[in-house]
C-alpha cells in the first residue's frame, strides 16, 4: 500500500471502530504493512485531518484514536439531537399500543386481561407520546376510561385512517 | 446488464435460479433441483424459448407447447408438486395452438388479424423486464453493501426513532393474543384434578354435612373439564352406592345424600342412570 | 455564521446523524441562517470533503446526506469488523421487489399477475427486512393492501430517491 492508500484506510478504520482504535489493532489488520510505515502514515493522516479545521477531529483517547465532533460545535449538535423523535418504545409499550390499536376503544382492565400484565406505565408512556388518547367512559361498573389511537399515531405509522391497519386476514394471505 | 452480474446472481441463489447451463444432464436428482427452480410458468417458458433459440416475437407455439408439457410430465414423474398456475398456462398454450391452426377469417383484412400469441408474448416481455430489473437491484445492493457507516456513538442511544411499522404492530398483537390463549390453557392445566380426587372431595363434603346440592358442586368447577369430572364423579358415587340423589320436584335442584341417611318419603328417587341430570 | 463555520457545522451534523440528514433537517436546526447560504455551504462542503480523496465520503442517499467509507476499502473494513455481508435476497424476493419498486403502490394480486406465480413468501421476507411497507388500501372490491418501497429500500440499494431507478422501459431492449 502506498502512503495515500494507507492514510485512506486509517481514516475509514478509525471511523468504523466501536472503541478508540489502538496502534496494535491497526498493525494486526494491516499485517502486510511495515510497522514504521504505518506509524508514519498515522501521524501524517492525523496531522492532515485535524489540520483541515473541519467539523470532525481525530483525538487520542484511552490508548487509541477516535473520530469525534469538535467541542465548539456541541451546542448545535445538542440542539439537533433534541429535534429527533424521542426514545424507541419499549416492548411493553408496543404491545399495549398494538392491543389498543386493534381493540379500540378499550379500557385498562380489558388491556390487562389480554396482555396478562399491568399496563399502566406503558399507557402513561403512550399518552405522553400522544400515540393514544382517551375516548370517553365505558358504561359499566366503575365507568372506566376507554382508550384509542390518536391522530399522531396515524401520522407516525403512515396511515390515512384506521381501516388501513393491516388486519389478521391480510396477514393470513401472506403466510398462506 | 453485464453477464458477470447475472452469473454471480445464479451462484448466489443457485437453487432458486432458472438455470442457463447444463440442462442436458441425465441425473434425475439434478433435474429435480433445476425444475423446482422455475419460479412459475413464465419462467419456464422463457427458459424454453432461450434453450430452443427461438424468436420471442414469433414463438413456434406447437414446439414450445410440446416441450412445456414434457416438462410438466417430468415434474410429475419427479414428484414435484405442479402448482395450479403451471396447469393454467398449459391450457393457455393449447388454446393458442388450436387458434393458430384455424384458417384465417377471409372477411378480415390480413393486417388487422390478431396474432393469438400476442397477449402471451406481452406477458413474457413484461416478466423479462422485471427479471432484468431484479438483476439491476442485485448489483446495486452489492455496491451499497460495500460502504460502511460510523460505529455507534454516545448520542445514538438517546435518539433512536420509533422504528416499529404497522406490520410490527400486527405481529405483536398476534403474539399477545397467542400468549393470552396459552396462559388460559396453562391455568386449566395447573388446576387439573383427577376423578378420584373429585370423588374424594364430594365424599369428604358429605362427611361434614348430610346433604349436598349438586348445582353447588357444578358451580365450583372452574373449567369445562372439571365440570365433566364432577358430573362423572357423582355418577360413579351413585353407582358405588356411596350416595343417592334426590330431586324434590321436576327440574328442581338435585341433592346428594349419604347412603346411610334416611330417605325422605316425599322425594322422588332418581335411578343411577342419571338421565334426569341432563336437565339440570 | 461565516461560510467556514457553516461547513464545519454541516460536517459534524452529517456525522452525528444516524439516518441520512435531509436538507430540511439542516435548515430546521440552523434557523438563523439564510437558506441559500446553507445550500451553498453544503454544496461546497461536499465538494471539498469528497475532493480530499480520503477514506470517507459524503453520499446523497434516501433524500439526505450520509457519511460512509469508500467502497474500494470494503475488504479491509470487513476483515476488521469481522462482519459478513447481510444474507442475500433470493431471486424470487428480488423479482418481487423489482415489481413493487416499479409498480408501487401495488397489491398482491397485481404482483402475482406480473410474476405469473404466488409471491407471498417473498413479500413476507421483504416486509421482515423492512424493504417494503404498507401504502394504504386499494379502493376496489375487498380493499386489498397496497405495498411500496420503504426508506430502508433506498438506503440498502444506495438510491437518492425512486427517480434514480432506471426506467423499466430501458430493460426492454435487452430482451430476445
Amino acid at each position: 500500500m502506498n502512503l495515500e492508500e494507507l492514510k485512506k484506510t486509517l481514516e475509514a478504520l478509525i471511523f468504523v471502530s466501536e472503541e478508540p482504535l489502538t496502534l496494535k489493532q491497526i498493525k494486526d489488520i494491516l499485517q502486510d504493512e511495515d510497522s514504521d510505515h504505518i506509524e508514519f502514515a498515522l501521524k501524517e493522516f492525523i496531522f492532515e485531518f485535524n489540520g483541515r479545521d473541519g467539523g470532525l477531529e481525530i483525538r487520542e483517547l484511552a490508548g487509541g484514536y477516535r473520530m469525534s465532533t469538535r467541542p465548539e460545535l456541541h451546542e448545535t449538535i445538542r440542539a439537533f439531537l433534541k429535534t429527533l423523535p424521542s426514545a424507541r418504545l419499549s416492548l411493553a409499550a408496543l404491545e399495549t399500543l398494538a392491543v389498543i390499536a386493534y381493540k379500540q376503544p378499550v379500557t385498562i382492565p380489558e388491556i390487562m386481561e389480554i396482555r396478562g400484565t399491568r399496563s399502566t406505565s406503558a399507557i402513561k408512556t403512550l399518552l405522553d407520546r400522544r400515540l393514544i388518547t382517551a375516548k370517553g367512559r365505558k358504561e359499566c361498573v366503575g365507568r372506566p376510561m376507554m382508550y384509542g389511537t390518536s391522530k399522531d399515531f396515524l401520522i407516525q405509522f403512515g396511515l390515512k385512517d384506521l381501516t388501513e391497519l393491516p388486519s389478521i386476514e391480510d396477514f393470513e394471505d401472506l403466510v398462506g | 446488464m453485464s453477464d458477470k452480474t447475472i452469473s454471480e446472481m445464479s451462484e448466489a441463489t443457485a437453487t432458486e435460479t432458472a438455470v442457463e447451463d447444463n440442462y442436458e444432464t441425465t441425473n434425475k436428482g439434478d433435474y429435480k433441483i433445476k425444475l423446482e427452480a422455475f419460479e412459475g410458468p413464465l419462467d419456464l417458458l422463457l427458459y424454453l424459448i432461450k434453450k430452443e433459440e427461438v424468436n420471442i416475437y414469433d414463438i413456434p407455439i406447437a414446439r414450445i407447447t410440446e416441450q412445456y408439457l414434457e416438462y410438466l410430465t417430468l415434474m410429475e414423474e419427479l414428484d414435484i408438486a405442479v402448482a395450479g398456475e403451471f396447469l393454467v398456462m398449459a391450457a393457455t398454450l393449447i388454446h393458442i395452438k388450436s387458434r393458430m391452426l384455424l384458417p384465417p377469417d377471409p372477411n378480415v383484412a390480413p393486417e388487422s388479424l390478431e396474432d393469438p400469441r400476442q397477449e402471451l408474448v406481452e406477458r413474457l416481455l413484461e416478466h423479462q423486464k422485471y427479471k432484468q430489473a431484479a438483476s439491476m437491484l442485485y448489483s446495486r445492493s452489492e455496491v451499497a453493501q460495500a460502504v460502511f457507516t460510523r460505529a455507534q456513538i454516545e448520542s445514538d442511544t438517546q435518539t433512536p426513532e420509533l422504528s416499529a411499522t404497522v406490520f410490527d404492530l400486527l405481529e405483536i398483537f398476534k403474539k399477545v393474543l397467542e400468549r393470552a390463549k396459552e396462559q388460559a390453557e396453562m391455568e386449566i392445566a395447573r388446576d387439573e384434578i383427577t376423578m378420584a380426587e373429585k370423588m374424594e372431595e364430594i365424599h369428604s363434603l358429605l362427611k361434614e354435612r348430610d346433604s349436598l346440592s349438586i348445582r353447588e358442586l357444578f358451580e365450583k368447577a372452574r373449567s369445562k373439564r372439571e365440570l365433566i369430572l364432577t358430573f362423572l364423579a357423582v355418577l360413579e358415587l351413585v353407582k358405588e352406592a356411596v350416595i343417592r340423589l334426590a330431586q324434590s320436584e321436576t327440574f328442581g335442584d338435585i341433592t346428594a345424600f349419604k347412603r346411610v341417611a334416611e330417605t325422605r318419603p316425599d322425594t322422588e328417587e332418581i335411578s343411577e342412570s342419571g338421565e334426569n341430570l341432563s336437565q339440570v
Side-chain angles (χ1 to χ4, degrees), chain B residues 1 9 12-13 16-18 39-43 56 85 123 125-134 136-138 140-150 152-153 155-156 159-161 163-168 171:
Chain B
M1 206 55 53
M9 208 164 159
T13 57
E16 300 188 56
T17 310
E39 278 285 324
L42 293 175
D43 249 4
I56 196 164
E85 56 248 28
R123 280 191 71 192
L125 288 173
E126 172 104 337
H127 184 68
Q128 181 78 296
K129 275 193 281 178
Y130 287 104
K131 283 180 88 73
Q132 303 277 5
M136 175 275 300
L137 285 179
Y138 174 78
R140 284 212 76 107
S141 75
E142 287 291 282
V143 176
Q145 279 208 26
V147 306
F148 296 84
T149 51
R150 65 162 169 75
Q152 290 272 308
I153 54 175
S155 62
D156 288 356
T159 61
E161 57 189 336
S163 56
T165 67
V166 282
F167 290 99
D168 295 327
E171 278 292 315

Side-chain angles (χ1 to χ4, degrees), chain B residues 27 64 86 123 142 174 193 219 227 230:
Chain B
N27 186 319
I64 293 294
F86 279 96
R123 280 191 71 192
E142 287 291 282
K174 274 170 66 186
I193 58 167
E219 276 169 1
L227 201 70
T230 307

Side-chain angles (χ1 to χ4, degrees), chain A residues 1 5 7-9 11-13 15-18 21 25 29-30 45 49 52-57 67-70 72-73 76-77 79-81 83-84 158 160-161 163-167 170-171 173-176:
Chain A
M1 242 185 247
E5 284 171 346
K7 286 194 289 188
K8 273 167 80 160
T9 307
E11 178 172 320
L13 287 173
F15 174 74
V16 299
S17 178
E18 293 278 347
L21 189 70
Q25 281 178 299
I29 315 151
L30 306 172
F45 159 66
F49 192 87
R52 293 180 313 130
D53 200 24
L56 300 173
E57 61 181 2
M67 190 178 288
S68 56
T69 54
R70 285 199 190 263
E72 64 265 33
L73 302 170
T76 314
I77 291 167
F80 163 64
L81 293 174
T83 67
L84 297 175
K160 247 189 278 172
D161 54 54
T163 67
E164 287 194 350
L165 262 185
S167 65
D170 286 319
F171 234 68
D173 278 356
L174 285 185
V175 275

Side-chain angles (χ1 to χ4, degrees), chain B residues 3-23 29-40 42-44 46-48 50 71 86 127-128 131-132 134-135 138:
Chain B
D3 283 340
K4 191 168 165 271
T5 313
I6 292 168
S7 73
E8 278 172 359
M9 208 164 159
S10 325
E11 244 172 81
T13 57
T15 51
E16 300 188 56
T17 310
V19 276
E20 314 271 325
D21 54 321
N22 197 19
Y23 240 86
D30 281 358
Y31 252 137
K32 184 160 178 168
I33 292 167
K34 287 173 180 175
L35 285 173
E36 275 175 329
F38 290 115
E39 278 285 324
L42 293 175
D43 249 4
L44 175 53
L46 281 175
Y47 164 71
L48 293 174
K50 205 171 272 173
Y71 271 94
F86 279 96
H127 184 68
Q128 181 78 296
K131 283 180 88 73
Q132 303 277 5
S135 178
Y138 174 78

Side-chain angles (χ1 to χ4, degrees), chain A residues 1-3 5-7 9-10 13-14 21-46 65:
Chain A
M1 242 185 247
N2 67 34
L3 184 62
E5 284 171 346
L6 197 47
K7 286 194 289 188
T9 307
L10 291 171
L13 287 173
I14 293 172
L21 189 70
T22 64
L23 190 58
K24 186 182 174 308
Q25 281 178 299
I26 297 171
K27 289 182 180 171
D28 283 350
I29 315 151
L30 306 172
Q31 281 171 348
D32 298 340
E33 302 298 320
D34 177 70
S35 172
D36 289 347
H37 186 43
I38 290 176
E39 283 178 44
F40 178 77
L42 182 64
K43 270 210 188 82
E44 197 167 293
F45 159 66
I46 295 171
Y65 300 90

